[in-house]
Amino acid sequence: MKGPFKFDSFPEFKETYLIVGWRNDTAMTAQKVINFLQERLDSRQFCRIEPANFFSFAGVAVEDDVARFPESTFFYTARKDLLIFLSDQPDYEHYRFLSALLDIAEDYCKIQQIYTISGMISLSAHTAPRRIFMVFNKPEIKESLQDYGLEEMTWEGPPAINSYLLWIAQKRGIPGISIWVEIPFYLAANEDPSSIKLALSFLNKRFDLDLSLEKFDIEIREQNEKIEWLRKGDSEIHQYISFLESGMQLDEESQLKLVKEIYEVLKK
């Protein structure tokens, strides 16, 4: 295949499904979901989209004193019908990048459907059940997922990269769906194990993966205990969360303080 990609191996595929996640999205939800799938489904890297022309190298990220350059990688799993794509979001030439992604997925991997995973900011409290929303590019995929508890998403504003991907996929006749999981705004700078578990629960059911998600129950309980400890020791924070629980909204100053205090207590 010609294009901006490099193969590490050449596994054979017949009919596959592709799960797409982007690093550093809201609360790193997609990355956490993908990493969990990679580990539990014994994934193997087989192809990369070369970063040249798509990414800026002016500000390379440093994690644990190690420079991390942009990566865009395809993985196959022990389930040969299930593929994973994890990538940084491109800085330039989005259409060419997403077209290259679909070239590999369609021409080589023979995908049947695309599923993208993302987190979305919510003004609800962390004690409220999370909801999962969907955006689809073909009516038939919506109909096939009617029993999964997904809600339709309405949005006005600039399109997200996932919506752009679905649009290009639609032009090629590839069914696709974007899954958006609610994340309380004051957890967006940390992680939200409830949202990660919800996204994984959907994929678990959709693809019959038989994954155990108990580890997230422990993380959810620990997070809730830390926030409850903060509420008991800070009446103002307790009031802010109580307002959210009753459906009221906070002003900008109160939101910023809640974000700051929650961030600090969860990092301890």
Side-chain angles (χ1 to χ4, degrees), residues 106-120:
E106 182 180 22
D107 298 338
Y108 180 74
C109 302
K110 299 178 175 55
I111 60 166
Q112 304 301 300
Q113 295 177 347
I114 297 175
Y115 291 76
T116 72
I117 306 295
S118 294
M120 61 177 289

Side-chain angles (χ1 to χ4, degrees), residues 103 123 159 179 238 243:
D103 286 343
L123 295 178
I179 300 301
H238 175 72
F243 283 162

Side-chain angles (χ1 to χ4, degrees), residues 118-120 131-133 135 153 160 162-163 178-182:
S118 294
M120 61 177 289
R131 294 176 295 174
I132 186 167
F133 295 85
V135 177
M153 182 177 178
N162 285 333
S163 300
S178 286
I179 300 301
W180 296 83
V181 190
E182 267 190 323

Side-chain angles (χ1 to χ4, degrees), residues 14 52-53 58 89 91 99 104 122 128 187 215 224 235 251 261:
K14 293 183 179 179
N53 302 319
Q89 292 197 30
D91 298 309
S99 295
I104 299 169
S122 168
L187 296 180
K215 73 179 290 290
N224 289 341
S235 60
D251 59 34
E261 295 298 327

Side-chain angles (χ1 to χ4, degrees), residues 26 28 34 60 63 68 75 88 104 129 163 185 223 240:
T26 304
M28 298 183 69
I34 294 294
V60 175
E63 297 178 1
R68 192 187 70 76
F75 302 85
D88 295 278
I104 299 169
S163 300
F185 69 92
Q223 184 181 76
Y240 292 161

Side-chain angles (χ1 to χ4, degrees), residues 37-237:
L37 293 176
Q38 287 177 307
E39 177 186 344
R40 299 304 172 92
L41 298 179
D42 191 25
S43 69
R44 296 287 186 272
Q45 175 180 313
F46 71 92
C47 184
R48 293 166 287 165
I49 297 179
E50 297 284 50
N53 302 319
F54 298 122
F55 295 96
S56 170
F57 293 91
V60 175
V62 177
E63 297 178 1
D64 298 325
D65 299 325
V66 177
R68 192 187 70 76
F69 294 93
E71 294 181 354
S72 305
T73 310
F74 284 88
F75 302 85
Y76 66 90
T77 70
R79 284 269 307 265
K80 283 298 184 69
D81 64 334
L82 195 62
L83 307 178
I84 296 170
F85 179 74
L86 179 62
S87 176
D88 295 278
Q89 292 197 30
D91 298 309
Y92 315 114
E93 297 198 50
H94 293 77
Y95 183 83
R96 183 172 168 237
F97 180 90
L98 296 176
S99 295
L101 189 168
L102 291 176
D103 286 343
I104 299 169
E106 182 180 22
D107 298 338
Y108 180 74
C109 302
K110 299 178 175 55
I111 60 166
Q112 304 301 300
Q113 295 177 347
I114 297 175
Y115 291 76
T116 72
I117 306 295
S118 294
M120 61 177 289
I121 297 293
S122 168
L123 295 178
S124 60
H126 71 283
T127 52
R130 306 291 189 274
R131 294 176 295 174
I132 186 167
F133 295 85
M134 66 173 176
V135 177
F136 54 90
N137 67 2
K138 286 180 173 290
E140 55 264 33
I141 194 170
K142 174 189 175 184
E143 294 171 3
S144 70
L145 297 174
Q146 286 182 343
D147 298 328
Y148 287 80
L150 307 178
E151 300 186 27
E152 288 191 48
M153 182 177 178
T154 57
W155 168 258
E156 293 183 4
I161 192 168
N162 285 333
S163 300
Y164 197 11
L165 176 60
L166 291 193
W167 177 76
I168 300 173
Q170 182 187 50
K171 298 296 183 183
R172 298 185 180 210
I174 303 171
I177 181 169
S178 286
I179 300 301
W180 296 83
V181 190
E182 267 190 323
I183 298 170
F185 69 92
Y186 52 89
L187 296 180
N190 300 90
E191 294 176 12
D192 184 20
S194 293
S195 299
I196 297 169
K197 182 185 177 183
L198 182 57
L200 285 167
S201 296
F202 165 75
L203 296 173
N204 211 11
K205 180 180 179 182
R206 171 64 185 88
F207 296 109
D208 193 23
L209 299 177
D210 194 29
L211 298 173
S212 173
L213 305 178
E214 292 180 357
K215 73 179 290 290
F216 296 103
D217 293 328
I218 298 172
E219 294 177 10
I220 292 167
R221 184 174 64 251
E222 292 176 346
Q223 184 181 76
N224 289 341
E225 288 174 351
K226 288 182 178 181
I227 296 176
E228 186 60 26
W229 175 84
L230 177 62
R231 294 181 73 170
K232 289 180 179 179
D234 191 322
S235 60
E236 193 171 25
I237 294 299

